[in-house]
Amino acid sequence: SKNSLTVGSANLNWLDNFSVSAIPNTYSSIGPTDDGRIKPDLVSDGTLLETATSAHPEAYTLVSGTSMAAPAVSGGLLQLQEYSLGLGLPALSAASLKGLALHTSTGIGAPGPEVETGWGAFNALNAVHFLQQQAFASKLEEGLLQEGEELRYTIEARENQVLKISLSWTDPPGEAKRSKANEPTPVLVNDLDIRLYKDGQEYKPWIIRLTDPSANAEKGDNRVDPYEQIEVNSAQGTNELVIKHKGSLTGQQQAFSLLISGARFSDCELEKPQALQLNGMDSEQLSLSWADSGADRYRIGFRQLGEDWHYVDSEENTYRFENLSLGGFYEFQVYGTCGLAF
């Protein structure tokens, strides 16, 4: 299945630095497919997870399997869709949601995809951060490539960050054929391509060599997957991204989802707000102001001593509080933020 999100099961151990070690479970199938597609797409923890059981209405048990790993990813993707809508973004297409999961997965072992674990371990928190940083350091764009068209984008890569670019699409169905073992002919119908150019250097996406699938992933021309990813460690400055296709396009066009991280999409600056000042301290109409730090918006925290923090948002460098207790002792915080959310 070329468009589905295939989830493998592994025993995952998340480390303090947010990296992960993984031991793929022996019952979980590995790739690649006969034509060299990367499967599984990613892995999730499927080892001894607590779940409800039919033994009793209130009974629980520990179960291992891909039947545990895949639902965990499905539930995480549903929450990401809900979170995206809460940010005011349109509903993510299947290609966008799959692309988001693969783009933000945590790599395991060698750089690039692997035949046992795909693009890595599903990481919903990374995906949340990607969505939060849209219009600042990340970008998710759904577009349409027409027959014979080349799309070009100028990308400003950030200093000391990995520039990562993914292209995801739902490929049209191919011709039904009788199954034939070890058939290497690609089943991809619309073969889209991404290339990155900087200072005369061409950067290609990750691929797995069908002739030696157990070897580390390489950079090359991907002719089999409906998902391509380019990673560049030293892309600081101006880069040009090109999206095009091989041959002809079934339907004369192909919808796609483009995901970019590690780039600059805003002049917003993450600097600590300065010169905080309280006004109206002799009344219940207390206001807080500060010097504009160049952030997109601000988050203000406040609490009465000994109580929980409360947070409000402001696009201005001032905020007026309502219904504070006169004579109470309060603490205040101000954060400058860039992107869509806090």
Side-chain angles (χ1 to χ4, degrees), residues 15 21 24 53 67 81 91 111 117 124 136 143 152 157 179-180 210 239 244 246 254 276 286 323 326 334:
L15 307 178
S21 63
T53 176
S67 295
Q81 182 74 276
T117 57
F136 174 57
R152 295 178 177 269
S179 177
K180 181 180 178 182
L210 187 57
N239 300 259
K244 55 184 179 180
K246 299 185 185 74
Q254 175 63 57
L276 271 67
L286 188 70
N323 302 320
L326 187 63
V334 179

Side-chain angles (χ1 to χ4, degrees), residues 115-159:
V115 295
E116 291 185 328
T117 57
W119 292 96
F122 176 64
N123 191 329
L125 183 59
N126 274 358
V128 165
H129 291 163
F130 178 94
L131 293 172
Q132 288 178 335
Q133 294 182 52
Q134 281 216 77
F136 174 57
S138 67
K139 180 185 185 72
L140 195 164
E141 176 180 300
E142 296 182 355
L144 196 64
L145 184 67
Q146 301 290 343
E147 176 83 35
E149 185 178 24
E150 277 192 9
L151 300 177
R152 295 178 177 269
Y153 300 82
T154 299
I155 300 173
E156 190 71 21
R158 290 182 175 271
E159 184 178 2

Side-chain angles (χ1 to χ4, degrees), residues 9-339:
S9 175
N11 188 349
L12 301 183
N13 178 30
W14 291 93
L15 307 178
D16 291 340
N17 62 354
F18 300 106
S19 65
V20 62
S21 63
I23 301 175
N25 289 317
T26 56
Y27 55 74
S28 187
S29 297
I30 65 173
T33 62
D34 284 348
D35 65 345
R37 278 173 287 125
I38 299 166
K39 294 293 178 180
D41 293 294
L42 45 71
V43 295
S44 186
D45 197 353
T47 308
L48 296 177
L49 300 186
E50 187 175 27
T51 182
T53 176
S54 60
H56 185 273
E58 298 180 1
Y60 287 83
T61 188
L62 297 177
V63 179
S64 297
T66 53
S67 295
M68 302 303 293
V73 174
S74 300
L77 292 177
L78 184 61
Q79 289 182 305
L80 289 173
Q81 182 74 276
E82 183 179 36
Y83 184 76
S84 178
L85 292 172
L87 293 176
L89 300 170
L92 299 176
S93 68
S96 291
L97 205 54
K98 177 182 176 181
L100 179 63
L102 303 189
H103 186 90
T104 60
S105 62
T106 297
I108 300 170
E114 298 180 299
V115 295
E116 291 185 328
T117 57
W119 292 96
F122 176 64
N123 191 329
L125 183 59
N126 274 358
V128 165
H129 291 163
F130 178 94
L131 293 172
Q132 288 178 335
Q133 294 182 52
Q134 281 216 77
F136 174 57
S138 67
K139 180 185 185 72
L140 195 164
E141 176 180 300
E142 296 182 355
L144 196 64
L145 184 67
Q146 301 290 343
E147 176 83 35
E149 185 178 24
E150 277 192 9
L151 300 177
R152 295 178 177 269
Y153 300 82
T154 299
I155 300 173
E156 190 71 21
R158 290 182 175 271
E159 184 178 2
N160 299 324
Q161 292 192 27
V162 175
L163 178 62
K164 183 185 291 187
I165 302 167
S166 294
L167 189 70
S168 177
W169 68 98
T170 300
D171 197 51
E175 179 184 353
K177 297 180 180 179
R178 183 178 296 275
S179 177
K180 181 180 178 182
N182 302 319
E183 173 56 56
T185 303
V187 299
L188 200 61
V189 174
N190 287 343
D191 187 358
L192 274 56
D193 289 309
I194 51 173
R195 297 289 188 272
L196 188 71
Y197 299 93
K198 178 178 174 58
D199 300 331
Q201 178 74 34
E202 180 185 56
Y203 296 94
K204 296 181 179 180
W206 289 108
I207 62 170
I208 286 179
R209 294 288 182 188
L210 187 57
T211 54
D212 189 11
S214 61
N216 290 346
E218 303 175 3
K219 305 292 182 67
D221 184 14
N222 191 322
R223 295 174 174 269
V224 293
D225 291 292
Y227 173 84
E228 297 191 358
Q229 185 187 108
I230 292 175
E231 277 187 296
V232 184
N233 292 319
S234 56
Q236 179 185 353
T238 303
N239 300 259
E240 183 180 41
L241 173 68
V242 177
I243 301 177
K244 55 184 179 180
H245 66 88
K246 299 185 185 74
S248 59
L249 292 178
T250 295
Q252 306 298 308
Q253 60 185 18
Q254 175 63 57
F256 66 85
S257 298
L258 175 65
L259 299 95
I260 305 173
S261 56
R264 178 179 292 277
F265 298 104
S266 166
D267 293 330
C268 181
E269 295 293 339
L270 282 173
E271 296 182 359
K272 183 172 68 174
Q274 302 287 344
L276 271 67
Q277 182 174 339
L278 283 169
N279 305 296
M281 287 187 287
D282 57 347
S283 71
E284 295 184 8
Q285 297 297 312
L286 188 70
S287 66
L288 185 66
S289 62
W290 55 91
D292 190 348
S293 68
D296 286 337
R297 59 181 65 84
Y298 300 92
R299 164 150 286 195
I300 302 98
F302 66 97
R303 70 172 180 179
Q304 198 161 5
L305 289 182
E307 297 185 359
D308 293 334
W309 285 98
H310 302 277
Y311 294 94
V312 291
D313 305 331
S314 174
E315 295 185 357
E316 306 296 331
N317 58 322
T318 183
Y319 186 82
R320 180 178 295 277
F321 298 92
E322 303 289 345
N323 302 320
L324 297 184
S325 298
L326 187 63
F329 291 89
Y330 286 88
E331 291 180 288
F332 300 91
Q333 302 172 337
V334 179
Y335 302 89
T337 69
C338 297

